[in-house]
């Protein structure tokens, strides 16, 4: 039987590709180089469930970024990556120390608790970043059977508030956690943006400073879908393959996740995309600072701008550009830039903000 001939798709475009927003870097489409890689991987048969040539090659690429002992486990999404990674370094009675603003606490619908069975021990932070001193607010009671045992410190790089840890800050956290018998997990959904901001390789603030396991983002940086759990210290985890399957994160056609990460990581696409998104956030911040009555809340170090403005202005501006209120009562908003945000997009948004503030 001959294979089916190629035919034109019956799908139709249902959106205006010229409409842009500042709600999330997840709103952006896939980078053309990623789409080209997907087409390249399509056709013929490859072994399913990760025993394909693309996933094998991805391991070599990941080791070039994160050291010779690194191993990548591709998954579908960021929440899945975090839940699988945290389960891999905890016992059933284990707890995870994280910032009160952490994505694992605020934006994952209780998945670490409901799916992973983990207790999250949160700490308020002024800028989304943990310190050894803040960790110690929850790092106690290991011998108390009435309290979930702190076993992991989870940090995000960049943080949910758009701030970035310096490598020495993460090193101090790792040394502090390890001295207390805890592991360190890094939520790296925007790891590329942090590396671009610091102008250092990703290894500089991951395996080189003691991080044990990380969630490596792809979707926010130009992938169509897919992230990876990257094990940096093989002695810290066991049976991660089984955990991935148990957590419903094992892709049968894994080559289509792996080839996207290859397209991003093999050369410099990951860095180009992140630098551009960061640059657009800086351009946006510069424009916003010139608008009287609008306050930028945190240092703009990655691709996010957090601001405070009158609530009615924010509501009117939302009718022109999509974005989210971060704290609606206070009038705090979050504006995100993506790999495909243009200077014209930013300038149009700033102009609209000025118009609405002047009304």
């Amino acid at each position: 039987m001959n294979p089916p001939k190629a035919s034109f798709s019956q799908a139709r475009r249902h959106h205006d590709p010229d409409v842009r927003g500042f709600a999330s870097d997840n709103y952006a489409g896939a980078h053309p180089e990623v789409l080209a890689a997907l087409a390249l991987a399509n056709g013929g048969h490859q072994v399913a469930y990760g025993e394909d040539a693309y996933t094998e090659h991805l391991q070599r690429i990941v080791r070039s970024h994160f050291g010779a002992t690194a191993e990548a486990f591709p998954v579908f999404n960021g929440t899945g990556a975090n839940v699988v990674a945290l389960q891999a370094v905890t016992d059933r009675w284990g707890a995870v120390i994280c910032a009160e603003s952490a994505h694992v606490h605020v934006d994952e619908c209780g998945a670490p608790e409901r799916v992973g069975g983990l207790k999250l021990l949160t700490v308020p932070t002024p800028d989304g970043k943990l310190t050894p001193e803040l960790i110690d607010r929850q790092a106690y009671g290991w011998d108390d059977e009435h309290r979930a045992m702190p076993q992991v410190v989870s940090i995000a790089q960049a943080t949910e508030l758009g701030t970035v840890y310096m490598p020495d800050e993460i090193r101090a956290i790792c040394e502090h956690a390890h001295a207390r018998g805890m592991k360190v997990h890094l939520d790296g959904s925007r790891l590329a943006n942090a590396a671009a901001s610091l102008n250092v390789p990703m290894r500089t603030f991951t395996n080189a400073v003691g991080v044990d396991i990380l969630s490596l983002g792809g979707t926010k940086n130009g992938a169509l879908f897919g992230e990876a759990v990257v094990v940096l210290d093989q002695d810290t985890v066991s049976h991660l393959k089984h955990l991935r399957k148990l957590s419903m994160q094992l892709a049968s056609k894994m080559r289509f996740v792996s080839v996207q990460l290859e397209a991003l990581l093999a050369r410099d696409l990951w860095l180009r995309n992140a630098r551009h998104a960061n640059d657009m956030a800086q351009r946006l911040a510069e424009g916003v600072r010139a608008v009287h009555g609008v306050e930028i809340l945190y240092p703009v170090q990655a691709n996010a701008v957090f601001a405070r403005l009158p609530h009615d202005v924010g509501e009117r501006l939302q009718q022109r550009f999509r974005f989210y209120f971060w704290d609606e009562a206070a009038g705090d908003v979050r504006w995100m830039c993506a790999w495909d945000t243009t200077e014209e997009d930013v300038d149009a948004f700033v102009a609209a903000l000025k118009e609405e503030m002047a009304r």
Side-chain angles (χ1 to χ4, degrees):
M1 179 178 178
N2 294 325
K5 294 182 179 179
S7 62
F8 292 105
S9 171
Q10 297 303 308
R12 296 291 182 266
R13 176 171 279 162
H14 298 286
H15 77 290
D16 182 350
D18 293 326
V19 172
R20 302 299 179 91
F22 291 85
S24 172
D25 35 11
N26 279 326
Y27 277 40
H31 193 280
E33 292 181 38
V34 172
L35 292 177
L38 281 165
L40 189 69
N42 196 29
H45 286 200
Q46 278 282 290
V47 183
Y49 302 111
E51 296 184 47
D52 58 272
Y54 295 91
T55 303
E56 179 183 359
H57 185 63
L58 176 64
Q59 303 303 330
R60 293 196 287 272
I61 296 170
V62 164
R63 289 176 189 130
S64 73
H65 286 284
F66 300 106
T69 63
E71 184 175 5
F73 295 83
V75 295
F76 288 115
N77 55 45
T79 296
N82 285 336
V83 172
V84 170
L86 291 172
Q87 287 183 92
V89 287
T90 51
D91 295 310
R92 290 190 63 189
W93 50 87
V96 178
I97 299 173
C98 63
E100 194 172 64
S101 59
H103 196 276
V104 293
H105 174 57
V106 176
D107 290 307
E108 295 188 346
C109 196
E113 295 95 337
R114 293 292 297 266
V115 178
L118 298 164
K119 173 70 174 176
L120 299 182
L121 304 173
T122 64
V123 182
T125 69
D127 55 3
K129 294 162 63 173
L130 289 178
T131 64
E133 293 74 24
L134 289 173
I135 290 167
D136 279 346
R137 294 187 183 182
Q138 292 285 10
Y140 63 89
W142 287 278
D143 293 328
D144 182 356
E145 67 268 34
H146 301 287
R147 186 173 194 264
M149 182 185 292
Q151 292 186 318
V152 183
V153 174
S154 180
I155 61 175
Q157 178 75 321
T159 74
E160 280 298 289
L161 301 182
T163 53
V164 171
Y165 287 93
M166 298 299 291
D168 284 346
E169 290 176 315
I170 298 181
R171 184 191 302 276
I173 288 170
C174 292
E175 291 176 351
H176 193 74
H178 292 161
R180 284 153 179 75
M182 297 186 292
K183 307 302 181 186
V184 177
H185 162 257
L186 190 148
D187 180 349
S189 65
R190 296 187 177 94
L191 196 71
N193 299 94
S197 177
L198 295 171
N199 196 30
V200 298
M202 290 184 287
R203 70 174 69 89
T204 305
F205 52 83
T206 54
N207 57 300
V209 295
V211 172
D212 299 292
I213 194 168
L214 66 88
S215 304
L216 177 63
T219 310
K220 291 179 172 66
N221 199 32
L224 182 65
F225 63 91
E227 326 281 308
V229 176
V230 180
V231 178
L232 301 175
D233 183 354
Q234 296 294 331
D235 293 332
T236 65
V237 304
S238 62
H239 303 294
L240 201 143
K241 290 197 303 182
H242 297 82
L243 278 172
R244 178 174 58 179
K245 176 66 173 180
L246 179 68
S247 303
M248 298 173 286
Q249 287 292 319
L250 178 64
S252 56
K253 297 183 180 181
M254 196 180 295
R255 59 170 150 161
F256 297 111
V257 181
S258 298
V259 76
Q260 293 180 76
L261 296 173
E262 176 185 347
L264 288 170
L265 297 170
R267 294 191 179 176
D268 67 344
L269 181 58
W270 68 276
L271 188 57
R272 281 188 279 131
N273 285 352
R275 279 178 174 163
H276 178 79
N278 290 2
D279 287 346
M280 292 302 98
Q282 289 295 332
R283 186 182 185 92
L284 176 58
E286 290 171 9
V288 168
R289 289 188 183 101
V291 182
H292 180 71
V294 181
E295 175 189 1
I296 292 180
L297 299 175
Y298 306 108
V300 180
Q301 296 175 329
N303 61 323
V305 178
F306 288 80
R308 180 171 295 163
L309 69 167
H311 190 274
D312 61 322
V313 172
E315 286 188 321
R316 292 198 304 269
L317 191 58
Q318 278 184 322
Q319 302 304 310
R320 304 172 66 172
F321 290 89
R322 187 73 182 261
F323 62 87
Y324 295 119
F325 277 94
W326 194 254
D327 182 340
E328 194 155 1
D332 297 351
V333 298
R334 185 190 75 166
W335 297 321
M336 297 297 304
C337 295
W339 67 266
D340 65 346
T341 302
T342 67
E343 293 183 354
E344 291 76 15
D345 295 334
V346 172
D347 295 346
F349 182 81
V350 172
L353 173 63
K354 290 177 178 178
E355 290 173 8
E356 297 299 340
M357 286 295 293
R359 284 179 60 177

